[in-house]
Amino acid sequence: CAQSSQSKVDNHNKHITDKLEVLAKAYTHHGERWRALGYSKPVNPLTSYEVGYLVPYLYNRSLGRVIGHNQIIGLKHYDDFLDRMPREEAAAIEETVKEAAQFLDPGLLVMACGSYRRGKDTCGDVDCALMNTTQFLFFFFYYSGFLTDDLVSHEESGAHKKYMGVCRLPGPDVIVVPYGEFACSLMYFTGSAHFNRSMRALAKTKRMSLSEHSLNSDMLRQGSLKVYGGTSRPTLTEKDIFTHLGISFREPQERDW
Ligand code: DCP
Ligand code: MG
Ligand code: MN
């Protein structure tokens, strides 16, 4: 009796069980009870394994039954998981950006796009789209101190400007777009990147061209060379883009691929 309780006190795999416990807690926090259970269940059996026994066992497939494939993947991406923020934190950053922007112009539209808009539990960053017709905002963010030091202009073409802003932990990507490009920008910035590639490829098959600025029809290509850029279709909403492309609308949560 004394002996068996002693073996429970010694945790031979603390380096693993600690991580499992962090993951279990994180998923519990996100209301994913079943996934959390998947991580907390193996903690007890792992605690009592001898290290020398566990190591050959862990790359042996039979441990798959103890931990499960998803938990092994979870351990592999443990650092990634901690790098990403829970969506509640992304919402708080969106709020901060909104407050700062609307202090300047109450009619300004601010929206967190990217993985946040696609409804993901965790976000690598916050992709804030700001709809504005002036460049004033750029200077505001630059000097407000919310964006710390780096603000890199990625791309400039016409009235469309995209900036990468860096703020304290973790920085939002800020994109400033004119109202006329709202729908195309929103769709681009919502992603996913894979979804965007598919949509562009689809447009191409219909002699159209889709970018973060506009959807153009009647493109003229000679081989891979663009001879005529086409005329831009009116796209007031994302739904218009889907309609022009002849496919049914997909909610942001359905745009992972
Ligand atoms: N994007 C794209 N092509 C790229 C990079 C980005 O089309 N090469 C678009 C789609 C992305 C959006 O920009 O969804 C935002 O880029 P992120 O890198 O921030 O990607 P996500 O927000 O989708 O994921 P994460 O949670 O990792 O930030
Ligand atoms: Mg993102
Ligand atoms: Mn981003």
Side-chain angles (χ1 to χ4, degrees), residues 84 113-116 118 123-127 173 189-190:
R84 300 175 69 81
C113 299
S115 50
Y116 180 79
R118 298 202 310 281
C123 304
D125 65 355
V126 188
D127 304 292
D173 278 1
F189 217 32
T190 297

PDB file of all heavy atoms in Angstrom, residues 84 113-116 118 123-127 173 189-190, ligand 2:
ATOM      1  N   ARG A  84      -0.078  31.287 -30.167  1.00  0.00           N
ATOM      2  CA  ARG A  84      -1.337  31.828 -30.645  1.00  0.00           C
ATOM      3  C   ARG A  84      -2.157  32.326 -29.471  1.00  0.00           C
ATOM      4  O   ARG A  84      -2.030  31.828 -28.368  1.00  0.00           O
ATOM      5  CB  ARG A  84      -2.085  30.766 -31.448  1.00  0.00           C
ATOM      6  CG  ARG A  84      -1.308  30.289 -32.662  1.00  0.00           C
ATOM      7  CD  ARG A  84      -2.014  29.163 -33.372  1.00  0.00           C
ATOM      8  NE  ARG A  84      -3.241  29.617 -34.012  1.00  0.00           N
ATOM      9  CZ  ARG A  84      -3.281  30.237 -35.179  1.00  0.00           C
ATOM     10  NH1 ARG A  84      -2.167  30.483 -35.827  1.00  0.00           N
ATOM     11  NH2 ARG A  84      -4.430  30.605 -35.691  1.00  0.00           N
ATOM     12  N   CYS A 113     -10.387  40.666 -39.273  1.00  0.00           N
ATOM     13  CA  CYS A 113     -10.615  39.657 -40.318  1.00  0.00           C
ATOM     14  C   CYS A 113      -9.782  38.413 -40.010  1.00  0.00           C
ATOM     15  O   CYS A 113      -9.726  38.003 -38.863  1.00  0.00           O
ATOM     16  CB  CYS A 113     -10.266  40.247 -41.682  1.00  0.00           C
ATOM     17  SG  CYS A 113     -11.256  41.677 -42.110  1.00  0.00           S
ATOM     18  N   GLY A 114      -9.133  37.842 -41.018  1.00  0.00           N
ATOM     19  CA  GLY A 114      -8.263  36.683 -40.819  1.00  0.00           C
ATOM     20  C   GLY A 114      -8.943  35.544 -40.077  1.00  0.00           C
ATOM     21  O   GLY A 114     -10.157  35.353 -40.169  1.00  0.00           O
ATOM     22  N   SER A 115      -8.123  34.796 -39.327  1.00  0.00           N
ATOM     23  CA  SER A 115      -8.636  33.620 -38.630  1.00  0.00           C
ATOM     24  C   SER A 115      -9.711  33.995 -37.608  1.00  0.00           C
ATOM     25  O   SER A 115     -10.599  33.195 -37.314  1.00  0.00           O
ATOM     26  CB  SER A 115      -7.491  32.889 -37.937  1.00  0.00           C
ATOM     27  OG  SER A 115      -6.725  33.807 -37.177  1.00  0.00           O
ATOM     28  N   TYR A 116      -9.654  35.217 -37.093  1.00  0.00           N
ATOM     29  CA  TYR A 116     -10.662  35.652 -36.120  1.00  0.00           C
ATOM     30  C   TYR A 116     -12.054  35.664 -36.758  1.00  0.00           C
ATOM     31  O   TYR A 116     -13.003  35.112 -36.211  1.00  0.00           O
ATOM     32  CB  TYR A 116     -10.330  37.049 -35.586  1.00  0.00           C
ATOM     33  CG  TYR A 116     -11.359  37.536 -34.583  1.00  0.00           C
ATOM     34  CD1 TYR A 116     -11.328  37.092 -33.270  1.00  0.00           C
ATOM     35  CD2 TYR A 116     -12.383  38.404 -34.962  1.00  0.00           C
ATOM     36  CE1 TYR A 116     -12.273  37.509 -32.349  1.00  0.00           C
ATOM     37  CE2 TYR A 116     -13.337  38.827 -34.055  1.00  0.00           C
ATOM     38  CZ  TYR A 116     -13.275  38.383 -32.741  1.00  0.00           C
ATOM     39  OH  TYR A 116     -14.220  38.780 -31.844  1.00  0.00           O
ATOM     40  N   ARG A 118     -12.942  34.035 -39.308  1.00  0.00           N
ATOM     41  CA  ARG A 118     -13.311  32.679 -39.702  1.00  0.00           C
ATOM     42  C   ARG A 118     -13.718  31.840 -38.487  1.00  0.00           C
ATOM     43  O   ARG A 118     -13.940  30.639 -38.602  1.00  0.00           O
ATOM     44  CB  ARG A 118     -12.164  32.013 -40.469  1.00  0.00           C
ATOM     45  CG  ARG A 118     -11.798  32.698 -41.762  1.00  0.00           C
ATOM     46  CD  ARG A 118     -11.081  31.780 -42.739  1.00  0.00           C
ATOM     47  NE  ARG A 118      -9.969  31.051 -42.157  1.00  0.00           N
ATOM     48  CZ  ARG A 118      -8.757  31.560 -41.940  1.00  0.00           C
ATOM     49  NH1 ARG A 118      -8.508  32.810 -42.269  1.00  0.00           N
ATOM     50  NH2 ARG A 118      -7.819  30.828 -41.406  1.00  0.00           N
ATOM     51  N   CYS A 123      -5.841  32.647 -32.552  1.00  0.00           N
ATOM     52  CA  CYS A 123      -5.412  33.462 -33.689  1.00  0.00           C
ATOM     53  C   CYS A 123      -3.922  33.744 -33.583  1.00  0.00           C
ATOM     54  O   CYS A 123      -3.418  34.050 -32.504  1.00  0.00           O
ATOM     55  CB  CYS A 123      -6.167  34.795 -33.705  1.00  0.00           C
ATOM     56  SG  CYS A 123      -7.963  34.593 -33.718  1.00  0.00           S
ATOM     57  N   GLY A 124      -3.245  33.662 -34.721  1.00  0.00           N
ATOM     58  CA  GLY A 124      -1.818  33.960 -34.749  1.00  0.00           C
ATOM     59  C   GLY A 124      -1.568  35.446 -34.602  1.00  0.00           C
ATOM     60  O   GLY A 124      -0.575  35.874 -34.033  1.00  0.00           O
ATOM     61  N   ASP A 125      -2.485  36.246 -35.127  1.00  0.00           N
ATOM     62  CA  ASP A 125      -2.407  37.694 -34.986  1.00  0.00           C
ATOM     63  C   ASP A 125      -3.810  38.256 -35.175  1.00  0.00           C
ATOM     64  O   ASP A 125      -4.766  37.501 -35.339  1.00  0.00           O
ATOM     65  CB  ASP A 125      -1.418  38.293 -35.998  1.00  0.00           C
ATOM     66  CG  ASP A 125      -1.875  38.124 -37.431  1.00  0.00           C
ATOM     67  OD1 ASP A 125      -2.909  37.462 -37.655  1.00  0.00           O
ATOM     68  OD2 ASP A 125      -1.219  38.663 -38.329  1.00  0.00           O
ATOM     69  N   VAL A 126      -3.931  39.581 -35.133  1.00  0.00           N
ATOM     70  CA  VAL A 126      -5.228  40.203 -35.358  1.00  0.00           C
ATOM     71  C   VAL A 126      -5.140  41.019 -36.634  1.00  0.00           C
ATOM     72  O   VAL A 126      -4.299  41.909 -36.743  1.00  0.00           O
ATOM     73  CB  VAL A 126      -5.648  41.113 -34.180  1.00  0.00           C
ATOM     74  CG1 VAL A 126      -7.084  41.581 -34.364  1.00  0.00           C
ATOM     75  CG2 VAL A 126      -5.510  40.364 -32.872  1.00  0.00           C
ATOM     76  N   ASP A 127      -5.949  40.674 -37.615  1.00  0.00           N
ATOM     77  CA  ASP A 127      -5.915  41.354 -38.900  1.00  0.00           C
ATOM     78  C   ASP A 127      -7.052  42.366 -38.943  1.00  0.00           C
ATOM     79  O   ASP A 127      -8.187  42.026 -39.253  1.00  0.00           O
ATOM     80  CB  ASP A 127      -6.057  40.335 -40.035  1.00  0.00           C
ATOM     81  CG  ASP A 127      -4.981  39.263 -39.944  1.00  0.00           C
ATOM     82  OD1 ASP A 127      -3.813  39.600 -40.163  1.00  0.00           O
ATOM     83  OD2 ASP A 127      -5.308  38.101 -39.635  1.00  0.00           O
ATOM     84  N   ASP A 173      -2.165  43.287 -37.666  1.00  0.00           N
ATOM     85  CA  ASP A 173      -1.900  43.748 -39.017  1.00  0.00           C
ATOM     86  C   ASP A 173      -2.985  44.758 -39.314  1.00  0.00           C
ATOM     87  O   ASP A 173      -4.143  44.502 -39.055  1.00  0.00           O
ATOM     88  CB  ASP A 173      -2.055  42.601 -40.026  1.00  0.00           C
ATOM     89  CG  ASP A 173      -0.816  41.741 -40.091  1.00  0.00           C
ATOM     90  OD1 ASP A 173       0.124  42.037 -39.333  1.00  0.00           O
ATOM     91  OD2 ASP A 173      -0.796  40.800 -40.880  1.00  0.00           O
ATOM     92  N   PHE A 189      -8.713  39.728 -46.828  1.00  0.00           N
ATOM     93  CA  PHE A 189      -8.102  39.789 -45.496  1.00  0.00           C
ATOM     94  C   PHE A 189      -8.698  38.747 -44.550  1.00  0.00           C
ATOM     95  O   PHE A 189      -8.122  38.425 -43.518  1.00  0.00           O
ATOM     96  CB  PHE A 189      -8.291  41.200 -44.928  1.00  0.00           C
ATOM     97  CG  PHE A 189      -7.110  41.701 -44.130  1.00  0.00           C
ATOM     98  CD1 PHE A 189      -5.818  41.320 -44.436  1.00  0.00           C
ATOM     99  CD2 PHE A 189      -7.305  42.580 -43.069  1.00  0.00           C
ATOM    100  CE1 PHE A 189      -4.737  41.784 -43.701  1.00  0.00           C
ATOM    101  CE2 PHE A 189      -6.234  43.052 -42.326  1.00  0.00           C
ATOM    102  CZ  PHE A 189      -4.943  42.658 -42.645  1.00  0.00           C
ATOM    103  N   THR A 190      -9.869  38.223 -44.917  1.00  0.00           N
ATOM    104  CA  THR A 190     -10.491  37.179 -44.111  1.00  0.00           C
ATOM    105  C   THR A 190      -9.889  35.822 -44.434  1.00  0.00           C
ATOM    106  O   THR A 190      -9.760  34.965 -43.579  1.00  0.00           O
ATOM    107  CB  THR A 190     -12.011  37.177 -44.334  1.00  0.00           C
ATOM    108  OG1 THR A 190     -12.530  38.424 -43.872  1.00  0.00           O
ATOM    109  CG2 THR A 190     -12.690  36.048 -43.564  1.00  0.00           C
TER     110      THR A 190
HETATM  111 MG    MG B   2      -4.180  36.466 -38.871  1.00  0.00          MG
END
